[in-house]
Every structure is written in C-alpha cells, then in structure tokens.
Amino acid sequence: MFLSVFDMFKVGVGPSSSHTMGPMVAAARFLDLLRSSPFEAHGLRATLHGSLAFTGVGHATDRATILGLAGFMPDSYDHAKAEIALQKIRESQMVTPEGLPALRFDLQEDLKFDFGPNLPGHANGMILMATDAQGDVILQETYYSIGGGFVLTEAELSDGKDTDDGAPVPYPFKTAAEMLEMAEHSGKSIAQMKHANEIARGCSDSLSRGCARLWQVMNDCIERGLTTDGTLPGGLNVRRRAKGIHDALQAERGMNLNAPHTINDWMSAYAMAVNEESAAGGQVVTAPTNGAAGVMPAVIRYWIDHVPGATASRIDEFLLTAAAIGGLVKFNASISGAEAGCQAEVGSAAAMAAAGLCAVMGGTPAQVENAAEIALEHHLGMTCDPVKGLVQVPCIERNGLGAIKAVSAASLALRGDGQHFVPLDSVIETMRQTGADMHEKYKETSLGGLAVNVPNC
C-alpha cells in the first residue's frame, strides 16, 4: 500500500474536498474523455446523487460542477476568474472548455439533484453526460468522489483502483503492525521509510520543494483567516471568529495573567482560521479533507510558534509521518464523511497530526503509532451533521477541538514507552465498522443531528 504525501495533501479550494474539489476533478476528467471521443457534442448534463445532492448546495457542489465543466481545476483555481465565468455561463447557458466547441449547459435543466437512493458505489456519486444536437446522450460516465479530492469512475472503483497498483516500494506496509515491524527491522523512522517510498516512486527532486509548498499554502491560509473578519457566505450568518480570538490573545501576551489552558485558544484560532477560509471558498490544503483541513496546520503552527526547539526544517518529517498514518486510515477504512461520518475526517486528521507532532518531538515509531491511536480512538462515532449542508457548524469549531486532541494525544504518547493496550489497526477497523453501521442521516446528508435540531434560517 502506497499513497503519496502529495495525494494525501492536495492544494485545492473550499469548502469541501469531496463535494467541491471532487466534482470539479470529475468534470475535468469527463472533458478529457469528451476530447478523445469520436462523437460531436453539443451539450452537457450532470446529475448529483446521495450526499452530493443532499448537501450539494451548501457545499457548493453545483458551482464546482459548473466550473469544472468550464475547465477550472482546484489546484489552479482563481476566484475572480471563476466569478466572471459563472456570470457568463448564467447569461449564455453555454460553457466553453478549452479544446472543445461551446457546449449548451442550462443551469436549470441540465444540472439535477437526485434525492433518491445513493448510487451503488459510494454515497458521493455523480453522472456526467454529453448530448448531441437533438439532446440525445452520446457519452456518459459515472464518477465517485470518495473523499479528500480523490475521484474514481464506476469501473475504477469496481476494479479496486482505490488501492495501490504502482511500482514496488522498499517499505510496503499496509497496516500499522507491518509499519512498526519494518521500522524495527530497518532502524528507520516512519518518516524515513515514507521518504524512501516516495523516492522509489520518482519524487526525489520534488519532495522537499513540494512539502515546502504544502506548508506555505497551509500557513498562508492561517494568516488570511487570522486577519479577516466579517460573515461567512451561505445564509447562516456565521461570524468569523478566528481574527477576534487571535487579536485578544496577542493583546494578552506579556501580561503574566494567562491560565495555562489559554494555549488551547491559540490552537483553536489557528484551526478555525483555516476552516473559515475554506468555508468562504478560499485556497486550502486537504489534510486529509477540506472539512478537516484546519487540524494539521494548527498543530504544525502550534509546534513552530509555541514549542521550544521547533524548527521549520523538520516540517517534511511531520508531513511524511502524518501521510503514512493517513494512508493507513484511507486504505483500511475511510476519510470520507459521507461514508463514515466526521470520525473519518476530523478523527483521521487528529490521528495524522498527533503522529506528526509526536515524531518531530522525538517519539519512537511505537510512540508515534500510539499517538495516532489515542487521537483516533477518541473521535470514534463522531457524526457528520452540518447545519444547512454548510461546512461551518459544527465543522469550524470541531477542527479546533481536533487540534487540541491531537496535541494531547501526542503528549500522552511521549509520556509512555509506546506500549499500549489498543493497537491503531484495531481502532481503524472499529472506525470502519462504526461508519458502516452509522445511519445515513448522520453521514453528511444534513438529515439528522445538529442539522435538524438548530434553526438554520
């Protein structure tokens, strides 16, 4: 099992990796399919299913699909250009992707939300179609957005393409137990094994540069969130809070009156800054998803700014360790809220962040595995119940608490010797089973939980 650090952490756009980035990527893939098709297309259609339908408007899935069919991609997304393109599409009812003729796309007729049963492959399903001059379908493909911006066609999903099938790597662990065994036999850290695997897949030249960019985008996102106030879009009138919290914390510095637990407010401010930016449609890094994008940056920023001896030169080690843990979770369970609830998003993010922090603070591989286990175990059963389908309530605060749990988990693991009762593999399997048993209304459909028990207008 191998999942690159650049697959686990992807630069993209908010508010959701599965509901915004995924549909945009799917649309781009469909355009490529259409460019290679012998048929002459005159129009496009899209149908959203499952969670993509139920919370699609709140997650900007409709907007992402439209922009994707117009040629926009998450990693190069330009908000100003997107606004201009959307206005033109609304007026003309046409999209003009590069390398294709202008294609009819009536926003009222050609983009449908199907609130019936999920498509068979995943809760996040969409069908994209091309039509001829008479409106008959000449090309059709089903895509599944399986979490974290990963997209598979129906055939790829059934063929197991969500598992690794690339060239061999020197440390091919697919469970935490195998990971620890390989670390013991090799004498290498988890990050060193992950580094060797990345090099084996051809990432040697771009690894450090790519990791540096990931942290730059994460930290820039924090900074934007800490300096921007106002009200988030979507209709809930949720006020941005990260700037106010951060301003108050800065004003209190040097007063020698702060309680020790104030450090939690710093972590929450960092995490909330990221998720407020994501909720506003800003640039973020999936870590492993947009809904959980604040946890990792908050813990790294906490380490850099507040922990003696921290150095930015070890951020690669943090990210590589975290990516190794995230790969185990994705491979053996899920990182999709629509599939397994928020335990799969914020829970996975907390486990990854705890592992990364434990590693850069001198933890052994056993202590790193213990840190991830503690963090994930204490998110088990967490539902995904966003109010009005927006990635705002309870998502923004939840990232702050996820960061706090991650730091606490790393600290507890470092106080021990790595030996513990519950293995990480058992917690990951428990998370998978809990997600399978969880009622659909608690899995990113906004049909249960907080989504129906608080006023949303």
Side-chain angles (χ1 to χ4, degrees):
M1 188 280 296
F2 173 81
L3 189 69
S4 173
V5 64
F6 303 116
D7 290 325
M8 185 56 65
F9 303 116
K10 294 189 283 289
V11 176
V13 60
S16 172
S17 49
S18 59
H19 288 60
T20 313
M21 290 173 59
M24 198 177 287
V25 170
R29 291 191 62 181
F30 187 72
L31 291 179
D32 285 340
L33 184 66
L34 188 56
R35 291 184 185 103
S36 63
S37 169
F39 302 110
E40 182 180 355
H42 289 260
L44 298 172
R45 293 178 190 164
T47 307
L48 306 175
H49 298 261
S51 181
L52 294 185
F54 283 107
T55 60
V57 173
H59 284 62
T61 307
D62 48 350
R63 174 190 174 94
T65 303
I66 296 164
L67 290 172
L69 291 173
F72 284 77
M73 283 290 289
D75 59 352
S76 58
Y77 179 80
D78 184 304
H79 181 75
K81 291 181 179 179
E83 288 298 311
I84 295 171
L86 279 172
Q87 185 58 37
K88 289 182 178 179
I89 294 168
R90 292 188 186 102
E91 293 171 355
S92 67
Q93 303 297 335
M94 304 284 285
V95 292
T96 55
E98 185 177 352
L100 288 167
L103 300 167
R104 181 183 183 277
F105 193 71
D106 186 320
L107 303 190
Q108 300 299 317
E109 297 294 327
D110 296 323
L111 179 60
K112 298 294 186 182
F113 292 80
D114 189 324
F115 299 103
N118 294 348
L119 295 179
H122 192 278
N124 292 331
M126 60 190 300
I127 300 174
L128 298 178
M129 295 160 276
T131 58
D132 61 16
Q134 289 73 42
D136 295 326
V137 175
I138 55 174
L139 185 67
Q140 177 173 309
E141 185 61 86
T142 298
Y143 296 93
Y144 292 106
S145 180
I146 62 173
F150 293 91
V151 172
L152 296 172
T153 66
E154 188 170 46
E156 288 169 345
L157 188 65
S158 63
D159 289 344
K161 292 295 184 182
D162 55 332
T163 59
D164 179 54
D165 60 355
V169 294
Y171 303 101
F173 52 84
K174 61 180 180 294
T175 66
E178 291 178 356
M179 178 183 71
L180 291 178
E181 183 179 2
M182 289 181 185
E184 183 177 358
H185 288 165
S186 67
K188 294 182 180 293
S189 70
I190 293 169
Q192 288 170 334
M193 293 192 298
K194 182 67 174 164
H195 186 274
N197 288 348
E198 294 281 346
I199 290 175
R201 290 293 177 92
C203 294
S204 56
D205 294 334
S206 60
L207 190 55
S208 291
R209 189 168 59 252
C211 286
R213 185 189 180 225
L214 289 174
W215 171 238
Q216 186 67 58
V217 174
M218 287 179 176
N219 200 40
D220 287 349
C221 189
I222 292 175
E223 289 300 320
R224 290 195 308 274
L226 293 179
T227 55
T228 306
D229 53 18
T231 302
L232 294 172
L236 286 182
N237 297 317
V238 172
R239 293 183 298 110
R240 287 180 179 251
R241 297 164 57 200
K243 181 181 184 299
I245 295 170
H246 186 247
D247 289 348
L249 288 168
Q250 286 186 309
E252 294 168 3
R253 270 185 160 171
M255 297 178 65
N256 295 323
L257 298 174
N258 292 334
H261 64 253
T262 301
I263 191 61
N264 290 340
D265 298 339
W266 284 95
M267 285 186 273
S268 291
Y270 299 146
M272 291 169 66
V274 172
N275 285 87
E276 286 173 356
E277 279 296 295
S278 181
Q283 187 181 58
V284 296
V285 175
T286 64
T289 66
N290 283 17
V295 177
M296 280 278 296
V299 174
I300 297 176
R301 182 68 176 263
Y302 157 78
W303 173 61
I304 291 290
D305 285 4
H306 301 274
V307 177
T311 169
S313 65
R314 298 186 69 189
I315 288 176
D316 287 20
E317 182 182 353
F318 195 118
L319 292 174
L320 287 167
T321 305
I325 298 301
L328 293 176
V329 176
K330 185 181 185 301
F331 183 79
N332 294 299
S334 176
I335 58 170
S336 167
E339 190 172 26
C342 200
Q343 59 173 357
E345 296 203 31
V346 172
S348 298
M352 293 162 63
L357 181 61
C358 185
V360 296
M361 291 185 68
T364 65
Q367 288 172 317
V368 169
E369 184 262 1
N370 188 195
E373 178 271 322
I374 294 170
L376 184 57
E377 180 180 11
H378 299 291
H379 282 88
L380 289 176
M382 182 174 281
T383 60
C384 184
D385 50 353
V387 177
K388 202 179 177 181
L390 299 170
V391 194
Q392 298 179 17
V393 180
C395 320
I396 294 171
E397 283 183 354
R398 187 169 284 174
N399 274 256
L401 273 293
I404 292 168
K405 284 186 182 181
V407 172
S408 296
S411 183
L412 283 174
L414 287 165
R415 295 288 183 183
D417 60 4
Q419 298 184 38
H420 54 103
F421 188 77
V422 181
L424 175 59
D425 289 329
S426 296
V427 178
I428 293 174
E429 173 58 17
T430 301
M431 191 262 274
R432 186 195 67 78
Q433 293 175 3
T434 303
D437 292 340
M438 191 180 288
H439 196 287
E440 292 299 319
K441 68 182 182 181
Y442 297 115
K443 293 195 283 190
E444 212 165 359
T445 59
S446 287
L447 297 176
L450 287 175
V452 299
N453 286 306
V454 299
N456 58 22
C457 61

